[in-house]
mmCIF file of all heavy atoms in Angstrom:
data_model
loop_
_atom_site.group_PDB
_atom_site.id
_atom_site.type_symbol
_atom_site.label_atom_id
_atom_site.label_comp_id
_atom_site.label_asym_id
_atom_site.label_seq_id
_atom_site.Cartn_x
_atom_site.Cartn_y
_atom_site.Cartn_z
ATOM 1 N N ALA A 1253 0.825 -1.203 0.000
ATOM 2 C CA ALA A 1253 0.000 0.000 0.000
ATOM 3 C C ALA A 1253 0.868 1.265 0.000
ATOM 4 O O ALA A 1253 1.866 1.329 0.725
ATOM 5 C CB ALA A 1253 -0.923 0.008 1.207
ATOM 6 N N PRO A 1254 0.503 2.296 -0.786
ATOM 7 C CA PRO A 1254 1.293 3.523 -0.818
ATOM 8 C C PRO A 1254 1.059 4.438 0.386
ATOM 9 O O PRO A 1254 1.874 5.304 0.681
ATOM 10 C CB PRO A 1254 0.819 4.192 -2.110
ATOM 11 C CG PRO A 1254 -0.584 3.703 -2.300
ATOM 12 C CD PRO A 1254 -0.600 2.302 -1.768
ATOM 13 N N LEU A 1255 -0.066 4.246 1.075
ATOM 14 C CA LEU A 1255 -0.416 5.107 2.205
ATOM 15 C C LEU A 1255 0.125 4.514 3.502
ATOM 16 O O LEU A 1255 -0.107 3.341 3.814
ATOM 17 C CB LEU A 1255 -1.941 5.237 2.295
ATOM 18 C CG LEU A 1255 -2.498 6.173 3.371
ATOM 19 C CD1 LEU A 1255 -2.171 7.629 3.033
ATOM 20 C CD2 LEU A 1255 -4.002 5.981 3.509
ATOM 21 N N GLY A 1256 0.862 5.332 4.266
ATOM 22 C CA GLY A 1256 1.403 4.873 5.536
ATOM 23 C C GLY A 1256 0.365 4.941 6.651
ATOM 24 O O GLY A 1256 -0.563 5.761 6.603
ATOM 25 N N LEU A 1257 0.514 4.107 7.656
ATOM 26 C CA LEU A 1257 -0.418 4.076 8.781
ATOM 27 C C LEU A 1257 -0.556 5.437 9.434
ATOM 28 O O LEU A 1257 -1.651 5.869 9.789
ATOM 29 C CB LEU A 1257 0.053 3.046 9.816
ATOM 30 C CG LEU A 1257 -0.740 2.961 11.121
ATOM 31 C CD1 LEU A 1257 -2.168 2.524 10.866
ATOM 32 C CD2 LEU A 1257 -0.059 1.998 12.100
ATOM 33 N N TRP A 1258 0.571 6.156 9.579
ATOM 34 C CA TRP A 1258 0.539 7.447 10.271
ATOM 35 C C TRP A 1258 -0.247 8.500 9.489
ATOM 36 O O TRP A 1258 -0.608 9.529 10.043
ATOM 37 C CB TRP A 1258 1.952 7.978 10.521
ATOM 38 C CG TRP A 1258 3.007 6.944 10.770
ATOM 39 C CD1 TRP A 1258 4.250 6.907 10.209
ATOM 40 C CD2 TRP A 1258 2.964 5.819 11.658
ATOM 41 N NE1 TRP A 1258 4.967 5.829 10.665
ATOM 42 C CE2 TRP A 1258 4.202 5.136 11.562
ATOM 43 C CE3 TRP A 1258 1.992 5.311 12.524
ATOM 44 C CZ2 TRP A 1258 4.497 3.984 12.281
ATOM 45 C CZ3 TRP A 1258 2.274 4.153 13.241
ATOM 46 C CH2 TRP A 1258 3.513 3.514 13.122
ATOM 47 N N GLU A 1259 -0.496 8.251 8.195
ATOM 48 C CA GLU A 1259 -1.248 9.195 7.360
ATOM 49 C C GLU A 1259 -2.749 8.951 7.404
ATOM 50 O O GLU A 1259 -3.515 9.725 6.830
ATOM 51 C CB GLU A 1259 -0.762 9.088 5.913
ATOM 52 C CG GLU A 1259 0.721 9.366 5.727
ATOM 53 C CD GLU A 1259 1.186 9.065 4.310
ATOM 54 O OE1 GLU A 1259 1.021 9.949 3.434
ATOM 55 O OE2 GLU A 1259 1.680 7.936 4.070
ATOM 56 N N CYS A 1260 -3.174 7.888 8.034
ATOM 57 C CA CYS A 1260 -4.605 7.552 8.096
ATOM 58 C C CYS A 1260 -5.277 8.286 9.253
ATOM 59 O O CYS A 1260 -4.696 8.420 10.329
ATOM 60 C CB CYS A 1260 -4.791 6.047 8.289
ATOM 61 S SG CYS A 1260 -4.126 5.011 6.980
ATOM 62 N N ASP A 1261 -6.492 8.755 9.009
ATOM 63 C CA ASP A 1261 -7.294 9.335 10.083
ATOM 64 C C ASP A 1261 -8.091 8.202 10.716
ATOM 65 O O ASP A 1261 -9.077 7.716 10.155
ATOM 66 C CB ASP A 1261 -8.231 10.401 9.529
ATOM 67 C CG ASP A 1261 -9.017 11.111 10.621
ATOM 68 O OD1 ASP A 1261 -8.937 10.673 11.794
ATOM 69 O OD2 ASP A 1261 -9.713 12.093 10.315
ATOM 70 N N LEU A 1262 -7.679 7.794 11.893
ATOM 71 C CA LEU A 1262 -8.266 6.634 12.552
ATOM 72 C C LEU A 1262 -9.208 7.025 13.688
ATOM 73 O O LEU A 1262 -9.572 6.190 14.506
ATOM 74 C CB LEU A 1262 -7.151 5.728 13.082
ATOM 75 C CG LEU A 1262 -6.162 5.251 12.009
ATOM 76 C CD1 LEU A 1262 -4.982 4.515 12.650
ATOM 77 C CD2 LEU A 1262 -6.854 4.353 10.992
ATOM 78 N N ARG A 1263 -9.595 8.301 13.701
ATOM 79 C CA ARG A 1263 -10.532 8.759 14.726
ATOM 80 C C ARG A 1263 -11.966 8.450 14.338
ATOM 81 O O ARG A 1263 -12.856 8.429 15.189
ATOM 82 C CB ARG A 1263 -10.365 10.266 14.948
ATOM 83 C CG ARG A 1263 -8.997 10.657 15.485
ATOM 84 C CD ARG A 1263 -8.761 12.150 15.388
ATOM 85 N NE ARG A 1263 -8.712 12.575 13.999
ATOM 86 C CZ ARG A 1263 -8.563 13.842 13.613
ATOM 87 N NH1 ARG A 1263 -8.473 14.797 14.530
ATOM 88 N NH2 ARG A 1263 -8.518 14.153 12.334
ATOM 89 N N GLN A 1264 -12.232 8.226 13.062
ATOM 90 C CA GLN A 1264 -13.556 7.871 12.583
ATOM 91 C C GLN A 1264 -13.866 6.411 12.943
ATOM 92 O O GLN A 1264 -12.991 5.687 13.411
ATOM 93 C CB GLN A 1264 -13.592 8.039 11.065
ATOM 94 C CG GLN A 1264 -12.597 7.127 10.340
ATOM 95 C CD GLN A 1264 -12.540 7.372 8.867
ATOM 96 O OE1 GLN A 1264 -13.567 7.436 8.211
ATOM 97 N NE2 GLN A 1264 -11.339 7.522 8.316
ATOM 98 N N PRO A 1265 -15.112 5.957 12.736
ATOM 99 C CA PRO A 1265 -15.401 4.530 12.935
ATOM 100 C C PRO A 1265 -14.542 3.678 11.997
ATOM 101 O O PRO A 1265 -14.602 3.823 10.781
ATOM 102 C CB PRO A 1265 -16.888 4.426 12.585
ATOM 103 C CG PRO A 1265 -17.433 5.786 12.876
ATOM 104 C CD PRO A 1265 -16.338 6.739 12.481
ATOM 105 N N VAL A 1266 -13.717 2.816 12.556
ATOM 106 C CA VAL A 1266 -12.675 2.121 11.791
ATOM 107 C C VAL A 1266 -12.689 0.629 12.092
ATOM 108 O O VAL A 1266 -12.932 0.207 13.231
ATOM 109 C CB VAL A 1266 -11.281 2.707 12.141
ATOM 110 C CG1 VAL A 1266 -10.153 1.775 11.722
ATOM 111 C CG2 VAL A 1266 -11.099 4.066 11.485
ATOM 112 N N ALA A 1267 -12.397 -0.159 11.059
ATOM 113 C CA ALA A 1267 -12.095 -1.579 11.217
ATOM 114 C C ALA A 1267 -10.681 -1.809 10.705
ATOM 115 O O ALA A 1267 -10.371 -1.482 9.556
ATOM 116 C CB ALA A 1267 -13.085 -2.443 10.444
ATOM 117 N N ILE A 1268 -9.818 -2.327 11.552
ATOM 118 C CA ILE A 1268 -8.465 -2.701 11.148
ATOM 119 C C ILE A 1268 -8.510 -4.145 10.660
ATOM 120 O O ILE A 1268 -8.911 -5.048 11.404
ATOM 121 C CB ILE A 1268 -7.477 -2.564 12.322
ATOM 122 C CG1 ILE A 1268 -7.349 -1.099 12.739
ATOM 123 C CG2 ILE A 1268 -6.114 -3.143 11.949
ATOM 124 C CD1 ILE A 1268 -6.752 -0.194 11.688
ATOM 125 N N CYS A 1269 -8.115 -4.360 9.396
ATOM 126 C CA CYS A 1269 -8.230 -5.677 8.775
ATOM 127 C C CYS A 1269 -6.839 -6.275 8.557
ATOM 128 O O CYS A 1269 -6.008 -5.677 7.857
ATOM 129 C CB CYS A 1269 -8.965 -5.579 7.438
ATOM 130 S SG CYS A 1269 -10.604 -4.813 7.566
ATOM 131 N N ILE A 1270 -6.608 -7.434 9.149
ATOM 132 C CA ILE A 1270 -5.324 -8.128 9.080
ATOM 133 C C ILE A 1270 -5.517 -9.448 8.344
ATOM 134 O O ILE A 1270 -6.451 -10.203 8.654
ATOM 135 C CB ILE A 1270 -4.757 -8.398 10.485
ATOM 136 C CG1 ILE A 1270 -4.737 -7.110 11.325
ATOM 137 C CG2 ILE A 1270 -3.369 -9.027 10.390
ATOM 138 C CD1 ILE A 1270 -3.825 -6.035 10.794
ATOM 139 N N GLY A 1271 -4.635 -9.742 7.385
ATOM 140 C CA GLY A 1271 -4.810 -10.919 6.554
ATOM 141 C C GLY A 1271 -4.040 -12.140 7.007
ATOM 142 O O GLY A 1271 -3.314 -12.122 8.001
ATOM 143 N N ASN A 1272 -4.222 -13.188 6.252
ATOM 144 C CA ASN A 1272 -3.563 -14.471 6.462
ATOM 145 C C ASN A 1272 -2.049 -14.313 6.557
ATOM 146 O O ASN A 1272 -1.453 -13.499 5.851
ATOM 147 C CB ASN A 1272 -3.939 -15.396 5.295
ATOM 148 C CG ASN A 1272 -3.230 -16.714 5.310
ATOM 149 O OD1 ASN A 1272 -2.119 -16.827 4.817
ATOM 150 N ND2 ASN A 1272 -3.865 -17.723 5.864
ATOM 151 N N GLU A 1273 -1.417 -15.090 7.448
ATOM 152 C CA GLU A 1273 0.008 -14.965 7.725
ATOM 153 C C GLU A 1273 0.875 -15.135 6.478
ATOM 154 O O GLU A 1273 1.946 -14.536 6.366
ATOM 155 C CB GLU A 1273 0.433 -16.003 8.766
ATOM 156 C CG GLU A 1273 -0.124 -15.759 10.153
ATOM 157 C CD GLU A 1273 -1.408 -16.511 10.409
ATOM 158 O OE1 GLU A 1273 -2.114 -16.865 9.421
ATOM 159 O OE2 GLU A 1273 -1.742 -16.741 11.568
ATOM 160 N N THR A 1274 0.422 -15.944 5.519
ATOM 161 C CA THR A 1274 1.211 -16.217 4.317
ATOM 162 C C THR A 1274 0.761 -15.396 3.118
ATOM 163 O O THR A 1274 1.583 -14.824 2.396
ATOM 164 C CB THR A 1274 1.129 -17.716 3.949
ATOM 165 O OG1 THR A 1274 1.569 -18.496 5.066
ATOM 166 C CG2 THR A 1274 2.006 -18.028 2.748
ATOM 167 N N ARG A 1275 -0.552 -15.289 2.919
ATOM 168 C CA ARG A 1275 -1.090 -14.681 1.701
ATOM 169 C C ARG A 1275 -1.624 -13.268 1.892
ATOM 170 O O ARG A 1275 -1.957 -12.594 0.925
ATOM 171 C CB ARG A 1275 -2.197 -15.559 1.121
ATOM 172 C CG ARG A 1275 -1.730 -16.981 0.821
ATOM 173 C CD ARG A 1275 -2.881 -17.833 0.329
ATOM 174 N NE ARG A 1275 -2.471 -19.216 0.130
ATOM 175 C CZ ARG A 1275 -2.461 -20.135 1.083
ATOM 176 N NH1 ARG A 1275 -2.843 -19.802 2.315
ATOM 177 N NH2 ARG A 1275 -2.089 -21.373 0.845
ATOM 178 N N GLY A 1276 -1.732 -12.808 3.102
ATOM 179 C CA GLY A 1276 -2.287 -11.486 3.339
ATOM 180 C C GLY A 1276 -3.784 -11.455 3.091
ATOM 181 O O GLY A 1276 -4.468 -12.480 3.145
ATOM 182 N N LEU A 1277 -4.316 -10.283 2.773
ATOM 183 C CA LEU A 1277 -5.754 -10.121 2.571
ATOM 184 C C LEU A 1277 -6.217 -10.510 1.174
ATOM 185 O O LEU A 1277 -7.382 -10.816 0.959
ATOM 186 C CB LEU A 1277 -6.167 -8.666 2.848
ATOM 187 C CG LEU A 1277 -6.229 -8.261 4.314
ATOM 188 C CD1 LEU A 1277 -6.382 -6.758 4.441
ATOM 189 C CD2 LEU A 1277 -7.380 -8.964 5.028
ATOM 190 N N GLY A 1278 -5.332 -10.474 0.187
ATOM 191 C CA GLY A 1278 -5.744 -10.775 -1.175
ATOM 192 C C GLY A 1278 -6.755 -9.761 -1.683
ATOM 193 O O GLY A 1278 -6.784 -8.603 -1.262
ATOM 194 N N ASP A 1279 -7.626 -10.208 -2.584
ATOM 195 C CA ASP A 1279 -8.615 -9.304 -3.197
ATOM 196 C C ASP A 1279 -9.949 -9.327 -2.467
ATOM 197 O O ASP A 1279 -10.878 -8.616 -2.853
ATOM 198 C CB ASP A 1279 -8.842 -9.701 -4.664
ATOM 199 C CG ASP A 1279 -7.607 -9.461 -5.520
ATOM 200 O OD1 ASP A 1279 -6.852 -8.522 -5.193
ATOM 201 O OD2 ASP A 1279 -7.399 -10.208 -6.496
ATOM 202 N N ARG A 1280 -10.044 -10.130 -1.429
ATOM 203 C CA ARG A 1280 -11.322 -10.303 -0.754
ATOM 204 C C ARG A 1280 -11.804 -9.030 -0.069
ATOM 205 O O ARG A 1280 -13.000 -8.835 0.131
ATOM 206 C CB ARG A 1280 -11.203 -11.434 0.273
ATOM 207 C CG ARG A 1280 -11.000 -12.787 -0.357
ATOM 208 C CD ARG A 1280 -10.205 -13.735 0.539
ATOM 209 N NE ARG A 1280 -10.707 -13.837 1.898
ATOM 210 C CZ ARG A 1280 -11.628 -14.723 2.288
ATOM 211 N NH1 ARG A 1280 -12.145 -15.553 1.412
ATOM 212 N NH2 ARG A 1280 -12.015 -14.770 3.543
ATOM 213 N N TRP A 1281 -10.883 -8.156 0.312
ATOM 214 C CA TRP A 1281 -11.252 -6.930 0.999
ATOM 215 C C TRP A 1281 -10.999 -5.695 0.151
ATOM 216 O O TRP A 1281 -10.826 -4.602 0.676
ATOM 217 C CB TRP A 1281 -10.504 -6.820 2.327
ATOM 218 C CG TRP A 1281 -11.099 -7.690 3.384
ATOM 219 C CD1 TRP A 1281 -10.734 -8.956 3.716
ATOM 220 C CD2 TRP A 1281 -12.213 -7.356 4.218
ATOM 221 N NE1 TRP A 1281 -11.534 -9.440 4.713
ATOM 222 C CE2 TRP A 1281 -12.451 -8.483 5.050
ATOM 223 C CE3 TRP A 1281 -13.028 -6.232 4.351
ATOM 224 C CZ2 TRP A 1281 -13.480 -8.510 5.993
ATOM 225 C CZ3 TRP A 1281 -14.033 -6.254 5.292
ATOM 226 C CH2 TRP A 1281 -14.254 -7.377 6.105
ATOM 227 N N ARG A 1282 -11.012 -5.854 -1.161
ATOM 228 C CA ARG A 1282 -10.873 -4.695 -2.060
ATOM 229 C C ARG A 1282 -12.260 -4.214 -2.479
ATOM 230 O O ARG A 1282 -12.995 -4.911 -3.179
ATOM 231 C CB ARG A 1282 -10.062 -5.063 -3.301
ATOM 232 C CG ARG A 1282 -8.608 -5.401 -3.008
ATOM 233 C CD ARG A 1282 -7.781 -5.444 -4.269
ATOM 234 N NE ARG A 1282 -6.446 -5.964 -4.041
ATOM 235 C CZ ARG A 1282 -5.429 -5.239 -3.575
ATOM 236 N NH1 ARG A 1282 -5.609 -3.965 -3.288
ATOM 237 N NH2 ARG A 1282 -4.238 -5.794 -3.395
ATOM 238 N N ASP A 1283 -12.630 -3.026 -2.029
ATOM 239 C CA ASP A 1283 -13.864 -2.396 -2.499
ATOM 240 C C ASP A 1283 -13.700 -0.888 -2.397
ATOM 241 O O ASP A 1283 -12.679 -0.384 -1.933
ATOM 242 C CB ASP A 1283 -15.087 -2.896 -1.716
ATOM 243 C CG ASP A 1283 -15.037 -2.536 -0.235
ATOM 244 O OD1 ASP A 1283 -14.715 -1.378 0.091
ATOM 245 O OD2 ASP A 1283 -15.333 -3.411 0.599
ATOM 246 N N ALA A 1284 -14.718 -0.176 -2.833
ATOM 247 C CA ALA A 1284 -14.608 1.282 -2.932
ATOM 248 C C ALA A 1284 -14.450 1.945 -1.570
ATOM 249 O O ALA A 1284 -13.900 3.048 -1.468
ATOM 250 C CB ALA A 1284 -15.838 1.840 -3.649
ATOM 251 N N ARG A 1285 -14.923 1.300 -0.502
ATOM 252 C CA ARG A 1285 -14.869 1.905 0.819
ATOM 253 C C ARG A 1285 -13.544 1.650 1.534
ATOM 254 O O ARG A 1285 -13.143 2.408 2.406
ATOM 255 C CB ARG A 1285 -16.008 1.364 1.688
ATOM 256 C CG ARG A 1285 -17.402 1.675 1.176
ATOM 257 C CD ARG A 1285 -18.476 1.059 2.062
ATOM 258 N NE ARG A 1285 -18.397 1.594 3.416
ATOM 259 C CZ ARG A 1285 -17.977 0.910 4.467
ATOM 260 N NH1 ARG A 1285 -17.566 -0.338 4.318
ATOM 261 N NH2 ARG A 1285 -17.964 1.457 5.662
ATOM 262 N N ALA A 1286 -12.884 0.559 1.185
ATOM 263 C CA ALA A 1286 -11.695 0.145 1.930
ATOM 264 C C ALA A 1286 -10.506 1.061 1.666
ATOM 265 O O ALA A 1286 -10.301 1.535 0.538
ATOM 266 C CB ALA A 1286 -11.335 -1.295 1.573
ATOM 267 N N ILE A 1287 -9.729 1.299 2.698
ATOM 268 C CA ILE A 1287 -8.495 2.087 2.597
ATOM 269 C C ILE A 1287 -7.322 1.163 2.905
ATOM 270 O O ILE A 1287 -7.258 0.566 3.976
ATOM 271 C CB ILE A 1287 -8.516 3.272 3.586
ATOM 272 C CG1 ILE A 1287 -9.642 4.234 3.221
ATOM 273 C CG2 ILE A 1287 -7.166 3.988 3.606
ATOM 274 C CD1 ILE A 1287 -9.827 5.364 4.220
ATOM 275 N N ASP A 1288 -6.412 1.049 1.940
ATOM 276 C CA ASP A 1288 -5.219 0.222 2.141
ATOM 277 C C ASP A 1288 -4.116 1.056 2.791
ATOM 278 O O ASP A 1288 -3.909 2.218 2.430
ATOM 279 C CB ASP A 1288 -4.714 -0.324 0.805
ATOM 280 C CG ASP A 1288 -5.675 -1.320 0.186
ATOM 281 O OD1 ASP A 1288 -6.587 -1.791 0.889
ATOM 282 O OD2 ASP A 1288 -5.518 -1.635 -1.016
ATOM 283 N N TYR A 1289 -3.405 0.470 3.725
ATOM 284 C CA TYR A 1289 -2.297 1.170 4.372
ATOM 285 C C TYR A 1289 -1.156 0.190 4.621
ATOM 286 O O TYR A 1289 -1.341 -1.035 4.635
ATOM 287 C CB TYR A 1289 -2.742 1.804 5.696
ATOM 288 C CG TYR A 1289 -2.953 0.798 6.807
ATOM 289 C CD1 TYR A 1289 -1.906 0.453 7.679
ATOM 290 C CD2 TYR A 1289 -4.188 0.172 7.003
ATOM 291 C CE1 TYR A 1289 -2.090 -0.477 8.695
ATOM 292 C CE2 TYR A 1289 -4.376 -0.757 8.014
ATOM 293 C CZ TYR A 1289 -3.323 -1.078 8.851
ATOM 294 O OH TYR A 1289 -3.496 -2.003 9.847
#
C-alpha cells in the first residue's frame, strides 16, 4: 500500500483488517470503501 499508517485518520469509525500470515488479505477486501495502508 502507498499510504502509511501514520497518514490515516483513525478517529472515525474504523475496522483494522489483518490478513492471512502467508497470503495477506488478497482481493477479498478490495472495495470502494476500503483504505489500504
Side-chain angles (χ1 to χ4, degrees):
L1255 184 69
L1257 175 63
W1258 327 134
E1259 301 172 84
C1260 299
D1261 184 352
L1262 303 172
R1263 297 167 295 178
Q1264 62 185 311
V1266 163
I1268 295 296
C1269 304
I1270 309 296
N1272 175 275
E1273 291 94 337
T1274 303
R1275 303 177 184 86
L1277 285 169
D1279 293 329
R1280 293 151 51 90
W1281 282 94
R1282 294 193 189 278
D1283 63 46
R1285 298 178 61 251
I1287 296 174
D1288 293 346
Y1289 73 91

